[in-house]
Amino acid sequence: MHSASDIASLMDSLGRAAVESAALLAQASTDAKNTALRAAAAQIRAQCPAILAANQIDMQRARERGLSAAMLDRLALDDKRVEAMAKGIEDIVALPDPIGTVIAEWTRPNGMRIQRVRVPLGVVGIIYESRPNVTADAGALCLKSGNAAILRGGSESTQSSRAIHACLVAGLRAAGLPEGAIQIVPTTDRAAVGYMLSSMNDYIDVVVPRGGKSLVARVQQEARVPVIGHLEGNCHVYVDRDADVRMACDIVKNAKLRRTGICGSAETVLFDRAGVATLAKPVLTTLLDAGCEVRGDEVLQALDTRIKPASEDDWRTEYLDAIIAAKVVDGVDGAARHIDKYGSAHTESIVTANQATADRFLALVDSAIVLHNASTQFADGGEFGMGAEIGISTDKFHARGPVGVEQITSYKYLVRGTGQLRP
């Protein structure tokens, strides 16, 4: 534990370095930023053994602390996941540099030329849990978009995150960019998070939380700067009467069980009342046979003795586990009403061969991501071709859905005149 003055001194020094670095990054060339990112990716590959050794220390401590299987899965790294981090950074290199892009331009009747031009936000604070790969994704995305980053990973991923951060700093050094452009909070003291949220508004322009409900709720409650993020991922799959039964089984199984601990995992499956007889049993049997617990309404309980009764709370629950709620609704409108009442505006999917029904679902459902005939687990910036993401936003202002390079920028207006005066 550190004293309050120690925490303030430490965090303020990070803030000052970030602001200084952000001013330099905003003017950095695309080539310089890409050089740093390529070098960081190469360093991650070269340091794979050291990163995995650090991760084993984190994993051992996490097991001793009794972390859940879902949390352990988020924390765990292997050769494949380390390579995915390096590849994710290279994907960000391949993205267009958003900074300086002219979003719109026009000329006024008085001859003034106006341009709306994309600029960095400045300093982005990222607070996250468990997943050490967020260190690489967040640092790289901020760098590409000209933002300085202050990263605060969870205490459970300390060793892994530090090893990955060292690779990012090596990349900055190789490109001659300021090392303060990507900083990691060097203490696990929870007071550092409190200070970051409440007392660094002179340094930090926006905070992005990535983690469980309690973390995000704390950030949203305590932050004195804008927050981009989502509180819960209560995602739904609606199986329409016109769904292909094989496709419905495959999509629901993947949406729920591919990785149960991610925010895009489906937590409720809804069945069109007109399709229960032909669709519900095979879909639910597929889940049950794969080891998923199903909590259903009375109609669905009658289909299989293994289906447990659902309570009102189940419709609102983000399980992040091999558990799913199941309910019969009255068509696409009933599905939309259920999602509107119980959902978290994150990600929803409809399975149907009827294009008109799909179009109605896509129009009615007001979530950040709405899919047709695809798994909710595609709720990911990398899968959207955005290189990577800092997180998913369910906000309706600034950024919504995957938060990638473009979503952590703002814009300013450049106005060019020839001596115009306002009458």
Side-chain angles (χ1 to χ4, degrees):
M1 296 290 289
H2 297 77
S3 69
S5 62
D6 287 343
I7 289 292
S9 177
L10 171 66
M11 298 305 291
D12 285 345
S13 68
L14 294 179
R16 286 191 295 271
V19 170
E20 291 174 8
S21 298
L24 296 171
L25 271 189
Q27 305 303 317
S29 69
T30 302
D31 284 346
K33 291 186 286 188
N34 286 343
T35 295
L37 291 169
R38 289 192 192 95
Q43 192 71 6
I44 284 174
R45 289 193 176 100
Q47 295 299 318
C48 182
I51 292 169
L52 293 181
N55 185 246
Q56 282 304 307
I57 297 172
D58 287 334
M59 289 293 290
Q60 181 59 36
R61 291 175 179 171
R63 292 188 193 99
E64 291 170 358
R65 288 170 53 188
L67 264 65
S68 69
M71 291 290 279
L72 289 172
D73 176 61
R74 291 183 178 198
L75 177 59
L77 292 176
D78 55 22
D79 288 339
K80 186 177 179 181
R81 288 186 178 182
V82 172
E83 172 58 28
M85 273 192 282
K87 178 66 167 59
I89 293 175
E90 290 173 339
D91 289 344
I92 293 170
V93 171
L95 295 173
D97 187 342
I99 303 307
T101 300
V102 177
I103 304 168
E105 57 184 324
W106 61 95
T107 301
R108 298 292 294 145
N110 64 4
M112 285 197 313
R113 293 187 298 118
I114 302 174
Q115 292 179 317
R116 187 186 303 131
V117 179
R118 201 169 290 286
V119 296
L121 288 173
V123 178
V124 181
I126 300 107
I127 302 174
Y128 52 102
E129 294 175 328
S130 300
R131 289 187 197 156
N133 66 290
V134 176
T135 305
D137 291 348
L141 285 169
C142 287
L143 176 57
K144 181 77 179 202
S145 55
N147 294 290
I150 297 177
L151 310 175
R152 207 290 186 175
S155 58
E156 65 279 2
S157 61
T158 300
Q159 300 302 319
S160 308
S161 293
R162 287 177 180 173
I164 295 163
H165 174 253
C167 298
L168 299 176
V169 171
L172 291 168
R173 199 179 297 124
L177 293 175
E179 293 183 22
I182 306 172
Q183 299 177 89
I184 194 164
V185 177
T187 176
T188 59
D189 195 322
R190 287 174 60 85
V193 175
Y195 192 87
M196 191 172 173
L197 295 174
S198 66
S199 303
M200 293 187 71
N201 45 307
D202 286 342
Y203 308 116
I204 295 176
D205 295 286
V206 65
V207 170
V208 183
R210 183 163 177 175
K213 184 176 180 179
S214 61
L215 168 71
V216 179
R218 181 188 180 190
V219 170
Q220 292 178 337
Q221 183 175 9
E222 296 183 20
R224 294 182 61 191
V225 295
V227 176
I228 300 174
H230 74 276
L231 192 61
E232 289 182 292
N234 187 13
C235 306
H236 301 73
V237 179
Y238 166 61
V239 180
D240 179 62
R241 69 190 70 182
D242 295 319
D244 174 83
V245 64
R246 187 68 261 155
M247 182 186 292
C249 291
D250 291 344
I251 286 176
V252 174
K253 181 181 177 181
N254 183 269
K256 175 70 264 186
L257 295 176
R258 173 188 164 269
R259 289 187 70 183
T260 59
I262 65 172
C263 61
S265 173
E267 306 293 9
T268 297
V269 57
L270 303 171
F271 293 97
D272 186 348
R273 194 175 303 278
V276 168
T278 55
L279 292 162
K281 187 173 179 61
V283 169
L284 295 177
T285 298
T286 298
L287 289 170
L288 291 161
D289 288 351
C292 182
E293 179 180 323
V294 177
R295 301 177 185 178
D297 62 14
E298 291 184 1
V299 174
L300 298 176
Q301 286 175 61
L303 299 179
D304 195 305
T305 57
R306 293 175 291 176
I307 298 175
K308 299 178 179 180
S311 68
E312 179 73 8
D313 287 343
D314 284 309
W315 312 130
R316 304 183 189 278
T317 300
E318 182 185 28
Y319 301 109
L320 299 175
D321 201 353
I323 306 169
I324 196 166
K327 186 178 183 181
V328 176
V329 294
D330 293 315
V332 68
D333 288 55
R337 284 193 297 271
H338 178 97
I339 291 167
D340 181 61
K341 181 176 181 179
Y342 297 104
S344 60
H346 193 291
T347 300
E348 332 297 346
S349 178
I350 179 174
V351 186
T352 185
N354 187 314
Q355 189 62 51
T357 302
D359 290 343
R360 182 161 180 78
F361 183 86
L362 297 178
L364 281 176
V365 174
D366 187 22
S367 292
I369 303 168
V370 190
L371 307 106
H372 173 208
N373 286 347
S375 169
T376 58
Q377 300 237 354
F378 281 106
D380 176 88
E383 294 297 329
F384 276 34
M386 296 164 69
E389 65 175 40
I390 296 179
I392 303 286
S393 171
T394 54
D395 293 333
K396 291 190 178 183
F397 63 91
H398 189 69
R400 197 177 193 199
V403 179
V405 169
E406 189 174 298
Q407 286 69 39
I408 45 176
T409 63
S410 183
Y411 53 80
K412 65 181 179 184
Y413 290 93
L414 303 182
V415 183
R416 294 180 173 88
T418 53
Q420 288 88 342
L421 303 177
R422 186 168 179 177

